[in-house]
Amino acid sequence: GAVVSQHPSWVICKSGTSVKIECRSLDFQATTMFWYRQFPKQSLMLMATSNEGSKATYEQGVEKDKFLINHASLTLSTLTVTSAHPEDSSFYICSAQSTGPTGELFFGEGSRLTVL
Amino acid sequence: KQEVTQIPAALSVPEGENLVLNCSFTDSAIYNLQWFRQDPGKGLTSLLLIQSSQREQTSGRLNASLDKSSGRSTLYIAASQPGDSATYLCGYDKLIFGTGTRLQVFP
C-alpha cells in the first residue's frame, strides 16, 4: 500500500513553545490530508481537513490559531501546535487520501507530543 | 450525531480460533468503510476497504462484509495468530471512527 511518513515520531517540549509535525505522502500525491488526535484507549478525533493550496477546514471545537495547518504541496502537510501547554500532550496522527476512485486513507505512524 | 460502535471492546482468544469483530454505524449514506489495525503507539494500517456498492472484501485470512441498510460491518479473521494481536478500528468516509476492538491472541 501507499506510504505516509510522519515526523517526528515523538517530541518533548517546554510549555509555551511551538512544535511542528510533518506528514508526507511518499509515493503518491494527496490533495487532501487529515489530522487527528487520539487519547489513550480512545478513537481518533478528526481535528481538521487539509487541502493543498487552500485553507484547512477545522472541526468544531478545534482552535485554528492554536493548531496551524499548512498544505503547501501535494505531498506535504504540516501541523504546528503553537504555544503548547500540557493539555496539548497527545498522540497526533495524519492521513492522506488516495486520489484513486476508492479514496482510500493511508495513515502516518503518529507523533507523540509531551508538553512539560 | 454520526457514531460508530465496535463490539466487543476487547477480546482474548487462543491461537487458531476464527473471530468476528463487529462495527455498527448510524449513517446509512456512507461512501466507503475501512477496517484498520493499530499497534500500540503506532498509526493505523489499512486492512480492507469496502465501497458502498460492495458487500464484502477479502484479503488473505481477513474478510470484511458491509450491510448499509442495517448499518453493520463485520471483520472475520480466520485461524487467528499471535501476530494478529492489535486494536482493530473501523471507520467510514475518513471522518468517523469507532473506539476499536483490542484483540489479544495467545499461543
Side-chain angles (χ1 to χ4, degrees), chain A residues 36 38 43 97 101-102 104 109, chain B residues 31-32 38 43 46 94 98:
Chain A
Y36 308 84
Q38 187 178 33
S43 188
Q97 182 179 3
T102 63
E104 188 171 359
E109 285 291 296
Chain B
Y31 180 70
N32 63 39
Q38 185 175 31
S46 178
K94 315 158 197 54

Side-chain angles (χ1 to χ4, degrees), chain B residues 65-81:
Chain B
S65 65
L66 174 64
D67 185 342
K68 283 181 55 180
S69 61
S70 65
R72 294 173 190 264
S73 176
T74 60
L75 178 66
Y76 178 81
I77 303 176
S80 59
Q81 303 172 357

Side-chain angles (χ1 to χ4, degrees), chain A residues 34 36 38 41-44 46 49 59 91 93 97 101-110 112, chain B residues 31-32 34 36 38 41-49 51 89 93-95 97-100 102:
Chain A
F34 303 90
Y36 308 84
Q38 187 178 33
K41 297 186 178 181
Q42 294 189 24
S43 188
L44 282 71
L46 179 67
T49 301
E59 294 301 302
F91 192 56
I93 307 177
Q97 182 179 3
T102 63
E104 188 171 359
L105 288 183
F106 298 96
F107 282 78
E109 285 291 296
R112 172 77 57 194
Chain B
Y31 180 70
N32 63 39
Q34 275 183 265
F36 302 89
Q38 185 175 31
K42 299 291 186 181
L44 277 65
T45 300
S46 178
L47 298 174
L48 290 165
L49 178 146
Q51 293 181 270
L89 295 99
D93 296 350
K94 315 158 197 54
L95 303 179
F97 296 85
T99 52
R102 293 186 300 280

Side-chain angles (χ1 to χ4, degrees), chain A residues 54-73:
Chain A
S54 64
K55 291 183 178 180
T57 302
Y58 290 82
E59 294 301 302
Q60 188 174 8
V62 178
E63 300 175 59
K64 59 182 180 181
D65 295 330
K66 174 75 169 176
F67 299 100
L68 299 179
I69 292 173
N70 183 275
H71 194 156
S73 77

Side-chain angles (χ1 to χ4, degrees), chain B residues 6-76:
Chain B
Q6 289 190 246
I7 295 173
L11 187 60
S12 182
V13 299
E15 181 177 9
E17 281 204 4
N18 299 323
L19 309 171
V20 176
L21 308 183
N22 297 292
C23 172
S24 60
F25 46 92
T26 55
D27 187 356
S28 61
I30 67 172
Y31 180 70
N32 63 39
L33 184 140
Q34 275 183 265
W35 280 92
F36 302 89
R37 168 186 174 138
Q38 185 175 31
D39 292 285
K42 299 291 186 181
L44 277 65
T45 300
S46 178
L47 298 174
L48 290 165
L49 178 146
I50 311 176
Q51 293 181 270
S52 60
S53 59
Q54 299 173 321
R55 301 267 319 188
E56 66 176 328
Q57 282 286 330
T58 298
S59 176
R61 294 183 293 108
L62 305 179
N63 175 276
S65 65
L66 174 64
D67 185 342
K68 283 181 55 180
S69 61
S70 65
R72 294 173 190 264
S73 176
T74 60
L75 178 66
Y76 178 81

Side-chain angles (χ1 to χ4, degrees), chain A residues 1-20:
Chain A
V3 178
V4 175
S5 173
Q6 199 170 329
H7 178 81
S9 55
W10 59 270
V11 57
I12 301 173
C13 69
K14 292 182 178 180
S15 185
T17 61
S18 295
V19 174
K20 179 185 285 188

